[in-house]
Amino acid sequence: MKHLLVTGGAGFIGANFVHHWLRGQRDGRLVVLDALTYAGNRANLAEVAGHPAFRFVQGDITDAALLTRLFEQEQIDCVVHFAAESHVDRSITGPDEFIRTNVMGTHELLKAARAAWCRDGKWRSDVRFHHVSTDEVYGSLSTDAAAFTEVTPYSPNSPYSASKAASDHLVRAYHHTYGLPVTTSNCSNNYGPFHFPEKLIPLMLVSALEGKPLPVYGRGENVRDWLYVEDHCRAIEAILERGTLGETYNVGGRNEWRNLDIVRHLCALLERRFAADPTLAGRFPNCPAASGRRIDSLITFVTDRPGHDWRYAIDATRIERELGFKPRETFETGIERTVDWYLTHESWWRDVLSGAYRR
């Protein structure tokens, strides 16, 4: 695989993957295709913009003509498909865009790959389509239920997870019907650099620094498994290099936390940072820690969202056993790195919050 097409590469996980891949100094090229919707940000790729193997294309994965041109012009032999609408709350209030992007967009990509890689019924031997999905397709777990495995029946509970489940099924169908060389990964909740501040961890971080309420759904008892984003990128790399075609790999951090405990842990981490670095009080005067007050005083319980899944948990035994992959970061070490990144990249998240990155 020498010529990658990375869809959604200006988003959170996609951008981290682009950085990870290009750090490897591999031969070939990496082309990012991103529509730059609200969550796509060219600033996420600023550090690699001058890399000789990198090219950015602004465009939509539902644009069949554009996909055909890219496969031909760039001689694409590997697709890493991140592009997706992914925020559950937005899918509840506006599901149409999730169906268009996650289902129809994935279908256009599959068609383009098939057209480019299969001639007279014969597939190229050096190609792969990797589809990045989510643990949410499996539905919700009770407190004491066994974690999701690759054979857990699908049971999506939101328009977002239903659209991702549909895309997973399309990828599987193109492999079994046409022979398209595919792999799929279903990952747990990611966190780390470039995370758009509508999701739990970055929202709590920037809100705490600004002295704004920290909204927690219900009583904050919902449980999630957390994976540091760089570890997720390493897992995808392992699947691309050693994964079995047609198979699915669950990627998780084995780090289950209640949402409320996550928020409290972040508050405590920030308080320690303020105690160790007096300059933070001047930079973030509205944060309670700037005046010696507890940050968790900002926690506000809000009405739970409709159909809120109780618990997600990934059993990552297969990828550990077959591909030798294990996360390098515990939640404690990964969240320390994440907090430090947001403290040293204030201009990034302020631009995101103000909308300046879209001007």
Side-chain angles (χ1 to χ4, degrees), residues 60-64 67 81 83-85 95-112 129 131 162-168 170-171 174:
D60 198 304
I61 58 172
T62 63
D63 186 339
L67 295 176
H81 178 32
E85 294 288 340
D96 289 7
E97 191 60 27
F98 287 72
I99 304 303
R100 191 189 77 85
T101 299
N102 299 355
V103 182
M104 300 305 297
T106 299
H107 190 219
E108 292 297 342
L109 272 170
L110 292 165
K111 290 193 297 182
F129 187 111
H131 176 58
S163 68
K164 289 298 290 183
S167 67
D168 292 6
L170 281 170
V171 172
Y174 263 69

Side-chain angles (χ1 to χ4, degrees), residues 8-12 34-44 56 196 357-358:
F12 164 45
D34 200 296
L36 295 182
T37 59
Y38 77 95
N41 187 349
R42 286 290 298 271
N44 296 352
F56 178 83
F196 193 85
Y357 74 107
R358 304 205 45 82

Side-chain angles (χ1 to χ4, degrees), residues 67-352:
L67 295 176
T68 298
R69 289 197 303 273
L70 282 179
F71 272 86
E72 180 179 348
Q73 293 172 359
E74 298 293 343
Q75 298 182 316
I76 299 299
D77 55 28
C78 180
V79 174
V80 186
H81 178 32
F82 293 99
E85 294 288 340
S86 65
H87 192 39
V88 174
D89 288 2
R90 289 176 183 265
S91 81
I92 293 170
T93 58
D96 289 7
E97 191 60 27
F98 287 72
I99 304 303
R100 191 189 77 85
T101 299
N102 299 355
V103 182
M104 300 305 297
T106 299
H107 190 219
E108 292 297 342
L109 272 170
L110 292 165
K111 290 193 297 182
R114 181 188 175 204
W117 296 342
C118 185
R119 292 288 185 270
D120 299 322
K122 295 181 180 179
W123 286 92
R124 288 176 51 182
S125 61
D126 59 343
V127 295
R128 177 168 304 210
F129 187 111
H130 182 72
H131 176 58
V132 181
S133 190
T134 171
D135 57 0
E136 296 192 39
V137 299
Y138 298 122
S140 182
L141 292 170
S142 61
T143 302
D144 57 353
F148 301 131
T149 70
E150 288 82 359
V151 297
T152 299
Y154 276 28
S155 184
N157 291 320
S158 70
Y160 161 60
S161 57
S163 68
K164 289 298 290 183
S167 67
D168 292 6
H169 292 319
L170 281 170
V171 172
R172 175 183 170 85
Y174 263 69
H175 174 69
H176 284 274
T177 302
Y178 305 114
L180 183 69
V182 306
T183 47
T184 296
S185 56
N186 294 81
C187 70
S188 56
N189 282 31
N190 280 213
Y191 66 98
F194 304 116
H195 205 175
F196 193 85
E198 67 180 357
K199 303 295 181 72
L200 179 67
I201 288 176
L203 174 63
M204 296 301 140
L205 280 174
V206 301
S207 296
L209 292 172
E210 292 288 89
K212 296 178 179 178
L214 307 181
V216 176
Y217 281 129
R219 302 305 301 172
E221 296 180 347
N222 302 75
V223 176
R224 299 292 182 263
D225 175 32
W226 292 91
L227 178 70
Y228 189 63
V229 66
E230 189 172 309
D231 281 324
H232 186 191
C233 296
R234 291 177 47 246
I236 293 172
E237 178 183 30
I239 296 168
L240 290 175
E241 293 179 347
R242 302 186 297 280
T244 301
L245 292 178
E247 297 299 328
T248 295
Y249 296 88
N250 281 355
V251 186
R254 299 190 186 274
N255 286 304
E256 291 187 54
W257 285 69
R258 293 191 314 159
N259 287 347
L260 181 58
D261 293 335
I262 291 279
V263 178
R264 287 174 173 163
H265 189 71
L266 287 171
C267 292
L269 275 179
L270 282 175
E271 287 170 0
R272 291 201 292 271
R273 291 296 189 274
F274 272 74
D277 183 358
T279 67
L280 293 178
R283 289 173 55 195
F284 306 106
N286 294 324
C287 180
S291 55
R293 293 177 291 124
R294 291 177 62 98
I295 299 176
D296 63 10
S297 64
L298 298 173
I299 293 175
T300 304
F301 294 101
V302 298
T303 302
D304 209 351
R305 70 184 180 208
H308 196 176
D309 289 339
W310 180 252
R311 171 177 168 246
Y312 305 140
I314 283 285
D315 181 343
T317 299
R318 181 178 194 182
I319 194 170
E320 293 169 356
R321 181 183 65 245
E322 295 184 12
L323 305 185
F325 167 80
K326 286 189 177 181
R328 290 176 180 167
E329 302 292 341
T330 64
F331 184 77
E332 290 79 4
T333 61
I335 203 65
E336 292 262 1
R337 292 182 63 181
T338 301
V339 168
D340 290 341
W341 190 89
Y342 277 85
L343 288 174
T344 56
H345 290 78
E346 180 184 355
S347 61
W348 178 88
W349 56 260
R350 288 202 182 280
D351 283 348
V352 169

